[in-house]
Amino acid sequence: MHAPRNTSKIEVLRGLVDRVVFHNEDNGYCILKIVPEGRRDVVSLIGKAPRVVAGEEFEAEGVWEPNRDFGPQFKAEAIKLKRPDSLAGIERYLGSGLIEGIGPKYAKRMVEKFGPKVFDIIENESKKLEDVEGVGKKRRIEIRASWIKQKSIHAIMLFLHQHGISSSRALRIYKTYGEEAQAVLKENPYRMAQDIRGIGFKTADDIAYQLGVAEDAPERIKAGILHVLETAAGNGHCCLPETEVIKKATELLGVEALIAPQIDALITSDQIERHAEFLYLPYLRAAEQSIAANVKSLAALPAAYPSIDEDAALAWVMKKTGKELAESQQRAVREALRQRLLIITGGPGVGKTTILRSILLILQSKQVKLVLAAPTGRAAKRLAESTSLEAKTLHRLLEYQGEGQWGRHRGKRLAGDLFVVDEASMIDAPLMAQFLSALPEGAHLLIVGDADQLPSVGPGMVLHDLIASDKVPCVKLTEIFRQAASSRIITSAHAINRGQVPDLKPSRSSDFFFLPASEPEEIKHTIVELAHTRLAAKYGLDPIRDIQVLTPMNRNLLGTISLNQSLQLALNPPNELKFEIERFGVTFRVGDKVIQTHNNYDKEVFNGDIGHIVTIDADPVKIHVRYDADRLVEYEPGELDELQLAYALSIHKSQGSEFPCVIIPVSTQHYVLLERSLIYTAITRAKRLCVLVGDERALSLAVSKQESRKRWTGLRALIG
């Protein structure tokens, strides 16, 4: 007997789940093979359910739809599931792998022995399970514990799904609160926003509304105020003026009069801090205070190196490297030999690397123990290449263990004499506080960076604030040296930094070009054409390895998502010889350039590492990505949310990297994000060639705006 062909008449279908073909925990989407009541043939059902187990009884409301490949399928608008009553269903359910200690073999024996009472036996008279062949005390205890846990999860899953929460979030809630989950949510659903990563105020507020929490409930007002401060931290601020917090909380909550008393209540319970007219999350205030205290104590001390004749050292190092140091560079080296704490800052082409190499060679010859670090893997790699010394990421140096735990801290300090941190503009306040607190007694610190680049993604603008305080010894390099001065990449970057639109006239021998295009479609087409054919042919560049597109945002036609799809199609098109796999809305195929988007300490790959897919295994599915020349990292399908295509990257993600060739769309479509530090950072990523494609008005707008430097922080005042 076959299901009817396509009719749009809504039906109610009941029966048994034969097996679960696919289930997405994030949104509940599932494809099930089912046996409808009164039939023997197995058909497909498509719908959404919090979790599904083979053997469960279902009731689904929906319509039959034809499918050319699979025959008719039942598309359900709503699915209700319950534990089975029939013996066949019970056996299938117990043997599905849901309950630890029971597979198909034991499920069959238990159902034969206890019949429909088996669930009750497991829960209330589990000792009787030992009467089943092969079940001893250990397995019996394991079965009951797993059963109780599954029952609890099931109840919570249903409760949360009824309130619109995805299954993956529901699992996270269960893992956080266990048996207490329902009680916690009914008492104060806003706790989730504080306790669980990935659940914010908006989700908690929706659940609270469904649970009948009043609009003016104190828990809601407090959660809204904390959300305002957490959102500000996510946008780079360490604090906000109290007036701004009240304004934003009012917009969010719609109840102005009640906000000020709840701010006071949060201060009383130490959940936020008030300093002058500013409100802080306590961990950010503590980070800034810690940085200020450590910086002040370091800056107050002179260097404690073995005695060094500066003139002789400079003569020696210039002879050794074969590089004559200009007067400004020599001054920087002398300062580094005299100061306990020094910042060396300046844009591209001013000789920061040459100075750093000279300082390190001199101190190395005096047996000074050097420790080099940078905020990202790529920045650390560049530092190691330029100095011929080992360099680590700050996270690795500080032995980060995940979940906010560090192996190195005030109680277990690092070992070394001089610590060098490069690309310091990228370091946020919490990371800098952790690093400074782990420095050993008597350490020297050299901070190198370009304060005009984009500030850190995380809260604070530490390098900028340290320089602006005027309390930290600082060498500001401005002289562009002869070789660099011939590069229009470098001269254009410096012009932009001064607030001037660079010279855009084309020049055949130039390394910097502006190609006018006004419409987003035209800009996108030009970028793909440049990457695919024009630049590769003219400059001998490898389109995938040497050319990097950098864009201000992820969304819209000129964002990373759209550009990556078009560039992938042009540079690495599908063919039957190339394996590919689709996960999380992205198709990955052999040959693709990809970027790791989270720190993964188990695999030793970090946010920002760029690699290439070298193989994809079909059974079982595994993707192999090569990072650098010698590191091969394996991913399973469920881990692919850590990877994104990397033909186009956001400018933020490109910080600390260099690429042979960079292409940048400049469009008024990016109006909100266009500003000086963004364009400056993008251009300075290019080593050999930089091409801007777009609208001259958009470039002019970007050069005139300095939005990213407007951050609310308290560090400068604390140092002063």
Side-chain angles (χ1 to χ4, degrees):
M1 178 177 175
H2 291 287
R5 302 301 290 174
N6 183 33
T7 75
S8 54
K9 181 170 159 282
I10 290 188
E11 288 183 44
V12 174
L13 200 64
R14 294 180 184 84
L16 211 61
V17 177
D18 184 65
R19 65 190 169 93
V20 180
V21 178
F22 175 79
H23 185 247
N24 181 329
E25 284 197 339
D26 278 326
N27 55 22
Y29 176 80
C30 55
I31 302 169
L32 310 176
K33 290 294 184 188
I34 56 162
V35 182
E37 265 180 7
R39 303 180 191 171
R40 298 175 69 175
D41 56 332
V42 175
V43 293
S44 294
L45 180 148
I46 295 165
K48 284 188 174 185
R51 65 207 296 265
V52 200
V53 180
E56 280 187 303
E57 291 178 6
F58 75 88
E59 180 180 297
E61 200 175 287
V63 295
W64 286 102
E65 288 189 347
N67 183 292
R68 202 175 58 204
D69 299 321
F70 304 109
Q73 299 178 328
F74 192 77
K75 192 164 187 187
E77 290 295 313
I79 305 174
K80 288 180 190 162
L81 295 152
K82 68 182 182 78
R83 284 209 310 257
D85 292 333
S86 71
L87 293 182
I90 292 170
E91 185 180 321
R92 196 69 189 267
Y93 182 82
L94 285 175
S96 67
L98 179 76
I99 312 298
E100 288 167 37
I102 306 180
K105 183 172 72 175
Y106 285 105
K108 187 174 177 59
R109 288 178 191 171
M110 285 179 186
V111 171
E112 280 172 358
K113 185 148 193 77
F114 302 117
K117 289 184 179 171
V118 65
F119 296 141
D120 192 50
I121 298 284
I122 293 171
E123 192 164 331
N124 301 311
E125 300 179 75
S126 68
K127 186 85 176 68
K128 289 183 178 176
L129 293 177
E130 292 181 32
D131 297 341
V132 175
E133 185 195 341
V135 177
K137 184 179 178 184
K138 188 180 169 201
R139 185 182 291 269
R140 185 255 300 176
I141 290 168
E142 180 187 24
I143 289 169
R144 186 173 186 279
S146 179
W147 171 260
I148 297 297
K149 181 182 167 194
Q150 291 301 334
K151 189 180 172 192
S152 176
I153 292 176
H154 197 72
I156 287 159
M157 289 296 218
L158 286 172
F159 170 76
L160 294 171
H161 222 258
Q162 282 159 4
H163 293 95
I165 301 179
S166 72
S167 300
S168 64
R169 278 188 176 156
L171 271 174
R172 226 179 285 155
I173 291 166
Y174 176 78
K175 280 176 186 162
T176 305
Y177 302 124
E179 307 289 314
E180 303 296 308
Q182 266 175 276
V184 166
L185 297 195
K186 284 175 179 169
E187 184 195 338
N188 180 9
Y190 296 100
R191 265 185 62 181
M192 287 189 300
Q194 298 303 309
D195 297 343
I196 303 171
R197 189 177 62 81
I199 292 186
F201 173 81
K202 294 278 197 301
T203 306
D205 202 34
D206 287 344
I207 295 163
Y209 175 74
Q210 298 213 33
L211 293 172
V213 174
E215 192 182 47
D216 59 356
E219 293 75 27
R220 179 171 186 266
I221 310 297
K222 285 178 187 167
I225 294 162
L226 289 168
H227 175 70
V228 167
L229 286 168
E230 281 152 6
T231 303
N235 292 327
H237 303 288
C238 287
C239 55
L240 280 183
E242 188 162 350
T243 50
E244 186 74 4
V245 174
I246 291 171
K247 180 174 155 236
K248 287 184 180 299
T250 303
E251 287 167 8
L252 178 72
L253 300 164
V255 283
E256 183 176 4
L258 303 164
I259 290 166
Q262 295 306 333
I263 287 175
D264 291 334
L266 285 165
I267 290 168
T268 302
S269 62
D270 297 327
Q271 288 175 272
I272 59 176
E273 292 184 24
R274 181 189 279 132
H275 296 277
E277 72 270 30
F278 295 100
L279 295 179
Y280 283 82
L281 293 169
Y283 83 96
L284 290 174
R285 180 65 178 179
E288 290 198 331
Q289 285 174 316
S290 174
I291 294 168
N294 282 303
V295 160
K296 284 199 271 196
S297 64
L298 276 171
L301 298 167
Y305 295 125
S307 64
I308 297 171
D309 179 330
E310 291 174 8
D311 294 335
L314 281 163
W316 173 81
V317 83
M318 286 191 278
K319 188 177 177 192
K320 187 168 175 65
T321 60
K323 283 199 171 179
E324 189 69 28
L325 294 176
E327 187 56 41
S328 61
Q329 292 178 306
Q330 290 191 34
R331 264 201 319 274
V333 174
R334 288 177 195 274
E335 280 297 301
L337 301 177
R338 293 171 190 167
Q339 301 290 353
R340 185 68 65 109
L341 166 63
L342 181 69
I343 295 172
I344 296 178
T345 186
V350 296
K352 293 194 298 291
T353 304
T354 305
I355 293 165
L356 181 58
R357 205 181 289 134
S358 302
I359 294 164
L360 296 177
L361 278 169
I362 292 168
L363 292 174
Q364 210 176 8
S365 73
K366 299 289 182 184
Q367 271 67 58
V368 171
K369 181 170 167 29
L370 306 170
V371 180
L372 277 60
T376 67
R378 283 173 296 162
K381 189 171 170 230
R382 278 179 56 204
L383 179 60
E385 285 166 356
S386 66
T387 60
S388 303
L389 295 166
E390 185 191 17
K392 292 181 177 177
T393 64
L394 283 166
H395 280 82
R396 189 170 280 175
L397 180 69
L398 295 166
E399 297 170 16
Y400 186 60
Q401 294 152 5
E403 303 295 322
Q405 300 301 307
W406 304 82
R408 295 288 176 168
H409 43 75
R410 187 168 273 108
K412 189 186 176 191
R413 295 178 186 253
L414 294 162
D417 300 319
L418 170 65
F419 291 79
V420 177
V421 182
D422 197 13
E423 294 286 358
S425 60
M426 299 172 68
I427 305 174
D428 63 28
L431 181 57
M432 184 61 98
Q434 186 67 36
F435 170 62
L436 292 177
S437 70
L439 290 180
E441 294 287 338
H444 298 70
L445 176 59
L446 181 57
I447 297 173
V448 184
D450 182 351
D452 294 316
Q453 283 200 35
L454 283 169
S456 55
V457 175
M461 43 196 311
V462 177
L463 180 63
H464 180 276
D465 284 350
L466 293 181
I467 295 168
S469 74
D470 283 332
K471 294 287 191 292
V472 181
C474 181
V475 174
K476 295 177 185 171
L477 302 164
T478 54
E479 185 183 348
I480 304 173
F481 291 101
R482 193 174 60 249
Q483 189 184 351
S486 65
S487 162
R488 273 180 58 185
I489 291 174
I490 286 170
T491 54
S492 299
H494 283 273
I496 285 168
N497 213 13
R498 293 191 299 271
Q500 299 164 354
V501 174
D503 179 7
L504 302 178
K505 288 195 297 292
S507 160
R508 289 186 72 79
S509 61
S510 177
D511 57 2
F512 177 85
F513 294 94
F514 184 89
L515 301 183
S518 53
E519 294 303 315
E521 290 81 1
E522 185 191 358
I523 296 171
K524 183 177 179 180
H525 175 76
T526 305
I527 286 170
V528 173
E529 198 182 20
L530 283 167
H532 186 215
T533 49
R534 283 164 63 178
L535 296 180
K538 185 171 180 185
Y539 294 95
L541 296 164
D542 180 317
I544 293 180
R545 289 178 186 276
D546 296 337
I547 297 173
Q548 186 60 58
V549 176
L550 299 179
T551 181
M553 64 204 313
N554 293 320
R555 302 276 163 210
N556 79 31
L557 197 68
L558 295 173
T560 55
I561 297 166
S562 165
L563 284 169
N564 268 318
Q565 287 171 348
S566 300
L567 288 161
Q568 182 191 42
L569 194 61
L571 302 179
N572 190 26
N575 68 45
E576 61 273 14
L577 300 176
K578 276 184 193 161
F579 269 137
E580 61 178 53
I581 177 175
E582 188 188 336
R583 280 293 184 280
F584 305 103
V586 180
T587 298
F588 298 98
R589 66 179 65 104
V590 171
D592 275 336
K593 176 158 68 169
V594 291
I595 183 169
Q596 172 78 16
T597 59
H598 303 285
N599 289 338
N600 186 322
Y601 295 91
D602 296 329
K603 294 186 191 298
E604 293 214 334
V605 282
F606 301 95
N607 188 357
D609 285 355
I610 291 176
H612 296 84
I613 297 176
V614 287
T615 53
I616 300 178
D617 299 339
D619 189 21
V621 174
K622 282 195 170 54
I623 284 191
H624 302 270
V625 177
R626 188 179 301 288
Y627 293 97
D628 309 326
D630 54 349
R631 278 197 311 141
L632 205 58
V633 178
E634 189 180 274
Y635 293 82
E636 294 187 358
E639 298 172 315
L640 292 179
D641 58 338
E642 294 187 16
L643 286 182
Q644 288 292 336
L645 294 176
Y647 301 101
L649 296 178
S650 72
I651 296 168
H652 275 97
K653 277 262 186 277
S654 74
Q655 278 181 276
S657 302
E658 279 187 344
F659 309 97
C661 171
V662 165
I663 306 173
I664 307 160
V666 188
S667 165
T668 48
Q669 193 176 62
H670 297 143
Y671 176 82
V672 181
L673 290 169
L674 282 178
E675 58 91 40
R676 191 181 303 170
S677 298
L678 196 81
I679 296 295
Y680 174 78
T681 299
I683 289 171
T684 54
R685 301 307 91 207
K687 276 198 289 195
R688 279 177 52 197
L689 185 65
C690 180
V691 185
L692 272 58
V693 182
D695 187 336
E696 203 171 319
R697 286 171 312 154
L699 180 61
S700 181
L701 177 76
V703 170
S704 66
K705 267 170 71 182
Q706 277 188 289
E707 289 303 309
S708 76
R709 295 181 200 178
K710 291 177 185 166
R711 284 191 171 186
W712 294 109
T713 69
L715 180 58
R716 185 175 166 184
L718 284 165
I719 297 170

